[in-house]
Amino acid sequence: MQKKSAYHHQEVESKWSSFWEKEGYFRSQVNKNKEPYVLIMPPPNVTGILHMGHLLNNTVQDVLARKARMAGKEVCWVPGTDHASIATEAKVLEKLEKKGLTKAKLGKQAFLKEAWQWKKKHEDIIIHQLKRLGISCDWERSYFTMDTVRSDSVTAAFVKLHEEGYIYRGTRMIHWDPKRETALADEEVVYREVTGQLYYIRYALAESSESIVIATTRPETILGDTAIAVHPEDKRYQHLHGKQAIIPLTNRKIPIIADSHVDPLFGTGCLKITPAHDPYDYELGKKHGLAIINIMHPNGSLNENAGHYQNLDRVAARKKIVADLHTKRLLVRKEQHIHQVGFSERSNAIVEPRISTQWFVRMQQLAQPAIKAVQNHTIQFHPAKFINMYNAWMHNIKEWCISRQLWWGHPIPVYYLKDGRYVVAHTAEEALKKAQLLTNNPTLTSQDIQQDRDVLDTWFSSWLLPLSAFNGILDPHSFEIQYFYPTDSLVTAPEIIFFWVARMIIAGYYFHKKPPFRHVYFTGIVRDQQRRKMSKSLGNSPDLLNLMDRYSVDGMRAGILLAAPAGNDLLFDEKLCEQGYQFVHKINNALTLVTGWHLSPITPTTTQQLAVHWFQARLQEILHQIEELFTSFRLSDALMAVYKLIWNDFCSHYLEMIKPRKTKQIAESIGLTTQSFFLDLMKVLHPFMPFITEEVASRLASHTTSLALENYPILSATFDHKILAQAQKAFTLISRLRQYRTQTPWSDDQGATLCWSGESTDWLATFTPYIQTATKIAVVQKRESVQPTGKAIIMEGTIFWVEGVVSTSTKKQTTYEKELAYQKKFLLSIERKLNNKQFIANAPSQVIMHEKKKKKDTQARIHSLQQLLQTEK
């Protein structure tokens, strides 16, 4: 058996990653002799590199996968990447703009070629990062959301939903991203509180000397006004019902209408109605049959309906219109106003309400089975607090706008005839046949139909993944979908509970009559020290590969997971990785110690036998705890339990109890048992920290296979609770004696006696040899009467104290006094030099600065020595 002391994590990680992949340990297949355990990786967007959120998410998944594999299950963890329509197209556009190119200049086919090149480059980076992380997914099952199977699945899903009346084409007011010039779903709009201005604008009345004042946050939209509304019971304006007002700057007349939905307390009680640019106004416009005047181009600039403001950006137009209103004395006043503003979740542009013809999914009926699945715990959320958020959204679910005005994405499988009619088909060939039947014209050719130029919302492919990952949309009766579906656990962030989690549940019940997964584990969001979410767009995530190089993969995984209970946000600090890295080296140091002993046919000591007895029970106690924690998805707590078991129980107590004191020889039975314990510990830790555990296991004499294929340690039905309680008391006493010794120091050779008085203490008798060794106590002795000569330690009715020691304070005091005298003398020599004018005038500035620093450091040391002397008195 080879013995090593230094631990070179990069070398170890490279070795084991290559070994696992070469051996195919993580491949999965239908195996009727095993229970399946299935995970679908939330696909990272191919927009750039991974960030800390991906590290946390994939670490959690790997922990679940490795634990299930060691439990004897057929683990199928499917990796993949997402095309991310809006985000990826934006990245490609940014790249092209640096070269002076635009989509229009490049053309669709050339643009898509650029997008596929971008995808290939960044997908390779992402996969490299994931493999460095040591995740145990089945790479042979890798998918991309625009590959053939996924694309065909999307088309099939669209056709089926359309045929059954759930997908329709309609004209509605939708959310519009003017930066990306595409429609957005409701969930893709992020509302933020913004401090803006409330503008009070005067409208003259037609054929009257009167005027009225309205209040608006968007003065540019007055150009699209088609009415002014007042509350019918607002006495201030009842005489104006049915009259007309004149829009400032345009002289266009609009009616004054009455509607009970107007809030008479907001602003002046007069509401300008712009049906084309406000969802509330749109509904009022439909109710009262008002004209709809769109004043904006898709990019947010004003169009021909805006008169001489045409082609001004909406922000510039607002400034110009406010200035013109002020010049014409139509701007009464403006005041600061705090209100909610919608921003695009992808581009961060302020969203515009826009009337547009789009494709929608009717969600209300589809959502009902998904609501019941969470209510009756068919699908369990961890933590359960997110159920309320889920229910609130699902009970108020809106129709889903699924079309996007982009080039990168899944084409909508709709084909239009020249007369405006359309057919929905899986392929262009099928579309042509349908078109010929629709028109009763067999001479129609492919030139007579044109496919919809838009693409589908990215989430329309993502909601199918638990099924499409196993080709379950195209082949719903295959062996794979029957075996691997439903999946077991989804690991994701709560921020996409509506975008993805809810929709996958809806799709699962609609397409396969079953839930897509049994458990949803919500990780927290990893944030920076400013509490901002770590993301690619902000660029505030540290370089993962750099962190792996510095702190090891295991150190990163342990550090971030220890600080990330389910559902709670995590403020990232590199100290977390440092903590994990120290744990890695603690384990390696323990390995160096254990493998450095020489096994000998000598008789074990009483303390060594006691240590084995105790640790057997302690290991079983923690194994039972870990099983309960895994069942409740408290993975952070499970890792902490393993961390303490190894650091405190195994390294600090067990190894201390059994290690030889004067030689490296150890009883063979104790040495082999210790290695067996060590191997079990590595098995328990392996799901969390796969590299160090695999390396340690390979260096233990009793181990012959990879931990990736090992069985998890067996749980015993019973274990010795009494020895655990006894040990806890002994360890507590040792800790308090060590603390006492730091306060009242004594030398190891002074023959200290631990005295005790009180009730019978069987635990003390059992652990006396170890207590003596651990605390340098020579004798443990019972006293009939309580007469402590030093500080008393009271434990459950028993009083302990130490006798026969002489404080080392006097010796320390002499040492401190000698050093203090030296430091004072040294300080005088420095001050003489700094007070020498000739030295100051001629010495280089660096030398002078160095002398000043020496003076400051010496003064600090003198102060510390004076405090130490005061403490010793």
Side-chain angles (χ1 to χ4, degrees):
M1 179 175 54
Q2 184 181 13
K3 175 192 167 186
K4 296 182 179 179
S5 56
Y7 182 74
H8 304 288
H9 62 265
Q10 293 184 37
E11 176 187 327
V12 169
E13 290 158 8
S14 176
K15 176 180 72 174
W16 289 110
S17 289
S18 299
F19 175 78
W20 293 328
E21 189 166 356
K22 178 184 176 183
E23 297 298 323
Y25 284 163
F26 308 138
R27 293 175 196 153
S28 53
Q29 60 185 356
V30 174
N31 186 341
K32 296 296 184 180
N33 296 320
K34 283 187 176 184
E35 177 187 348
Y37 186 87
V38 187
L39 295 160
I40 302 294
M41 177 186 292
N45 296 341
V46 288
T47 50
I49 62 176
L50 302 185
H51 55 68
M52 296 303 297
H54 294 107
L55 167 66
L56 174 59
N57 181 281
N58 284 285
T59 295
V60 169
Q61 290 178 86
D62 195 46
V63 169
L64 294 173
R66 289 180 182 272
K67 176 67 165 58
R69 196 176 287 111
M70 296 178 79
K73 297 180 181 180
E74 182 67 21
V75 174
C76 178
W77 181 11
V78 184
T81 52
D82 197 300
H83 65 284
S85 294
I86 296 178
T88 302
E89 185 157 314
K91 289 290 187 180
V92 176
L93 282 172
E94 288 174 9
K95 174 187 172 185
L96 293 174
E97 286 167 1
K98 293 177 181 178
K99 300 178 180 179
L101 296 172
T102 64
K103 285 172 69 174
K105 286 182 181 179
L106 203 60
K108 185 172 182 178
Q109 293 309 313
F111 175 83
L112 289 178
K113 183 179 179 181
E114 290 282 344
W116 280 104
Q117 289 174 352
W118 176 280
K119 173 261 179 187
K120 177 66 171 64
K121 174 183 176 181
H122 291 88
E123 185 178 59
D124 288 348
I125 294 172
I126 288 168
I127 290 173
H128 174 64
Q129 287 180 303
L130 290 172
K131 288 186 175 181
R132 274 291 307 272
L133 191 57
I135 63 173
S136 59
C137 56
D138 185 348
W139 291 109
E140 294 186 1
R141 292 183 177 272
S142 295
Y143 66 85
F144 175 58
T145 51
M146 280 174 58
D147 64 23
T148 301
V149 171
R150 262 49 63 177
S151 294
D152 290 348
S153 298
V154 165
T155 299
F158 186 101
V159 173
K160 177 178 173 62
L161 285 162
H162 181 268
E163 288 175 347
E164 298 186 2
Y166 289 107
I167 286 182
Y168 70 97
R169 187 171 185 250
T171 302
R172 280 179 37 192
M173 177 158 280
I174 51 92
H175 298 290
W176 183 263
D177 183 335
K179 186 174 181 180
R180 300 303 171 209
E181 296 189 37
T182 181
L184 300 172
D186 293 343
E187 297 75 31
E188 292 174 307
V189 180
V190 179
Y191 289 93
R192 301 175 194 152
E193 198 171 75
V194 172
T195 301
Q197 298 289 326
L198 190 61
Y199 300 88
Y200 289 80
I201 303 171
R202 188 181 307 281
Y203 285 57
L205 299 182
E207 302 176 1
S208 171
S209 59
E210 281 189 82
S211 64
I212 58 175
V213 177
I214 62 94
T216 180
T217 59
R218 305 186 68 200
E220 68 276 14
T221 62
I222 65 174
L223 304 174
D225 286 354
T226 56
I228 290 177
V230 296
H231 194 280
E233 297 179 7
D234 192 334
K235 294 180 180 179
R236 295 174 295 175
Y237 306 115
Q238 284 180 338
H239 68 291
L240 300 179
H241 295 180
K243 294 190 176 182
Q244 290 185 315
I246 300 173
I247 299 175
L249 307 179
T250 69
N251 295 322
R252 182 164 51 83
K253 295 179 181 179
I254 56 175
I256 299 174
I257 63 174
D259 194 286
S260 58
H261 283 86
V262 176
D263 181 2
L265 300 179
F266 177 77
T268 63
C270 297
L271 179 68
K272 61 187 286 298
I273 307 299
T274 315
H277 297 284
D278 185 277
Y280 181 83
D281 292 2
Y282 177 65
E283 295 302 322
L284 279 178
K286 287 196 298 183
K287 179 179 177 182
H288 292 275
L290 300 177
I292 297 175
I293 302 174
N294 173 33
I295 64 165
M296 286 191 192
H297 290 299
N299 66 358
S301 64
L302 273 56
N303 63 22
E304 65 279 2
N305 293 325
H308 65 275
Y309 299 104
Q310 183 177 354
N311 294 328
L312 282 178
D313 177 75
R314 55 185 172 159
V315 176
R318 177 180 298 183
K319 293 179 180 178
K320 175 64 174 167
I321 288 170
V322 169
D324 290 348
L325 289 169
H326 183 268
T327 300
K328 294 179 180 294
R329 297 186 179 182
L330 296 174
L331 181 63
V332 178
R333 70 179 188 277
K334 60 181 180 179
E335 59 187 36
Q336 195 174 81
H337 178 63
I338 299 174
H339 61 134
Q340 293 286 321
V341 176
F343 291 80
S344 169
E345 192 260 346
R346 287 299 182 189
S347 74
N348 204 37
I350 294 178
V351 169
E352 283 291 341
R354 185 177 179 84
I355 298 170
S356 181
T357 300
Q358 303 286 342
W359 289 94
F360 298 90
V361 182
R362 293 185 172 95
M363 299 294 283
Q364 290 81 1
Q365 183 179 341
L366 291 173
Q368 297 312 305
I371 292 172
K372 292 177 183 177
V374 175
Q375 285 179 340
N376 63 23
H377 304 297
T378 300
I379 297 173
Q380 297 180 38
F381 284 3
H382 308 277
K385 66 181 181 180
F386 291 109
I387 293 176
N388 291 336
M389 180 193 296
Y390 174 86
N391 286 336
W393 185 76
M394 291 291 280
H395 285 294
N396 296 281
I397 196 167
K398 298 178 182 178
E399 297 190 352
W400 179 12
C401 177
I402 57 172
S403 46
R404 298 290 182 270
Q405 288 62 54
L406 303 166
W407 286 352
W408 174 248
H410 294 104
I412 295 176
V414 174
Y415 299 79
Y416 298 94
L417 284 83
K418 292 178 181 178
D419 62 6
R421 289 183 291 174
Y422 63 83
V423 294
V424 178
H426 296 84
T427 64
E429 292 76 17
E430 181 186 348
L432 180 58
K433 291 179 182 179
K434 285 188 173 183
Q436 290 170 342
L437 288 173
L438 179 65
T439 60
N440 195 27
N441 182 1
T443 65
L444 281 179
T445 69
S446 59
Q447 301 301 314
D448 297 313
I449 60 174
Q450 183 179 24
Q451 187 170 3
D452 197 307
R453 286 180 286 187
D454 292 345
V455 300
L456 288 164
D457 179 11
T458 298
W459 299 104
F460 195 83
S461 61
S462 299
W463 78 324
L464 304 175
L465 284 176
L467 288 160
S468 66
F470 304 104
N471 204 18
I473 297 292
L474 304 177
D475 189 3
H477 303 294
S478 70
F479 289 125
E480 286 220 330
I481 197 68
Q482 297 300 322
Y483 180 69
F484 287 124
Y485 187 90
T487 67
D488 285 86
S489 303
L490 172 71
V491 180
T492 188
E495 60 187 348
I496 56 174
I497 190 171
F498 312 132
F499 292 109
W500 196 39
V501 178
R503 289 172 180 162
M504 279 192 289
I505 298 173
I506 291 171
Y509 278 101
Y510 175 71
F511 291 104
H512 211 70
K513 312 303 180 189
K514 293 179 182 178
F517 30 71
R518 300 178 179 90
H519 300 275
V520 183
Y521 178 100
F522 292 104
T523 64
I525 297 173
V526 183
R527 300 186 182 277
D528 62 20
Q529 292 299 305
Q530 299 177 46
R531 304 198 68 85
R532 299 176 303 171
K533 175 190 171 185
M534 284 192 170
S535 67
K536 297 175 186 176
S537 58
L538 285 178
N540 60 342
S541 180
D543 185 324
L544 294 189
L545 296 180
N546 179 265
L547 289 179
M548 292 178 195
D549 289 341
R550 291 164 59 196
Y551 297 110
S552 79
V553 171
D554 288 323
M556 285 181 64
R557 288 170 57 128
I560 198 167
L561 193 54
L562 281 170
N568 292 336
D569 288 357
L570 162 69
L571 292 182
F572 177 73
D573 190 314
E574 283 195 26
K575 291 179 181 177
L576 299 173
C577 300
E578 177 64 34
Q579 180 186 6
Y581 193 49
Q582 290 176 357
F583 188 37
V584 169
H585 284 280
K586 183 76 171 179
I587 294 168
N588 187 65
N589 291 341
L591 175 68
T592 301
L593 178 67
V594 169
T595 55
W597 295 331
H598 303 299
L599 306 186
S600 174
I602 58 178
T603 303
T605 66
T606 302
T607 297
Q608 288 174 332
Q609 292 174 325
L610 175 65
V612 169
H613 182 194
W614 161 71
F615 195 75
Q616 284 174 331
R618 182 59 173 163
L619 177 59
Q620 282 298 319
E621 180 182 40
I622 299 303
L623 285 175
H624 280 270
Q625 286 182 18
I626 290 169
E627 285 303 307
E628 292 176 5
L629 292 170
F630 263 95
T631 300
S632 58
F633 285 80
R634 293 168 58 191
L635 303 188
S636 180
D637 292 338
L639 175 56
M640 181 57 75
V642 183
Y643 179 92
K644 291 180 177 179
L645 176 65
I646 294 173
W647 194 294
N648 297 340
D649 297 316
F650 185 70
C651 295
S652 297
H653 291 308
Y654 176 79
L655 293 182
E656 185 66 24
M657 292 172 76
I658 67 158
K659 71 179 183 182
R661 298 299 162 182
K662 296 181 179 180
T663 69
K664 288 192 174 184
Q665 288 193 337
I666 193 169
E668 184 176 22
S669 61
I670 299 298
L672 293 176
T673 299
T674 299
Q675 291 206 26
S676 177
F677 283 155
F678 209 158
L679 181 57
D680 280 343
L681 292 174
M682 294 302 98
K683 291 178 184 178
V684 176
L685 183 61
H686 181 70
F688 303 98
M689 303 172 69
F691 293 108
I692 180 65
T693 52
E694 190 79 279
E695 182 68 12
V696 167
S698 71
R699 294 199 227 157
L700 295 173
S702 57
H703 184 62
T704 56
T705 62
S706 168
L707 283 187
L709 302 182
E710 275 279 10
N711 292 324
Y712 205 72
I714 297 173
L715 290 175
S716 297
T718 60
F719 52 88
D720 192 341
H721 292 272
K722 181 179 179 181
I723 192 68
L724 293 174
Q726 289 180 332
Q728 186 56 50
K729 292 176 184 178
F731 298 156
T732 300
L733 178 59
I734 289 169
S735 176
R736 295 180 69 174
L737 283 170
R738 286 172 172 169
Q739 184 179 11
Y740 171 68
R741 186 169 178 178
T742 62
Q743 298 168 352
T744 310
W746 71 79
S747 302
D748 292 348
D749 57 357
Q750 285 188 341
T753 298
L754 175 64
C755 303
W756 62 277
S757 178
E759 300 176 3
S760 176
T761 52
D762 56 346
W763 64 268
L764 182 59
T766 302
F767 280 88
T768 287
Y770 178 51
I771 293 170
Q772 289 177 291
T773 302
T775 62
K776 309 300 181 185
I777 294 289
V779 179
V780 177
Q781 190 173 83
K782 182 176 181 180
R783 297 290 175 87
E784 295 301 326
S785 59
V786 182
Q787 294 180 338
T789 58
K791 182 178 180 180
I793 299 172
I794 302 174
M795 291 179 57
E796 299 181 4
T798 303
I799 301 175
F800 297 89
W801 68 95
V802 179
E803 292 183 352
V805 299
V806 177
S807 173
T808 60
S809 295
T810 303
K811 184 178 179 180
K812 282 188 176 182
Q813 186 171 348
T814 302
T815 302
Y816 294 155
E817 286 174 345
K818 287 181 178 179
E819 186 177 355
L820 179 60
Y822 170 79
Q823 293 293 342
K824 285 181 176 180
K825 186 177 179 181
F826 185 57
L827 179 61
L828 286 173
S829 68
I830 297 171
E831 288 176 337
R832 280 196 299 269
K833 187 178 292 185
L834 290 173
N835 291 332
N836 186 327
K837 294 180 181 181
Q838 189 174 356
F839 171 76
I840 297 297
N842 298 321
S845 59
Q846 296 95 327
V847 174
I848 296 173
M849 292 295 294
H850 180 64
E851 291 298 323
K852 287 181 177 180
K853 185 178 184 304
K854 282 165 57 178
K855 177 181 177 181
K856 185 177 179 181
D857 292 344
T858 305
Q859 288 173 329
R861 179 58 180 159
I862 288 171
H863 179 70
S864 298
L865 288 167
Q866 289 171 335
Q867 286 187 318
L868 287 169
L869 281 167
Q870 187 64 32
T871 303
E872 295 296 331
K873 289 180 180 179

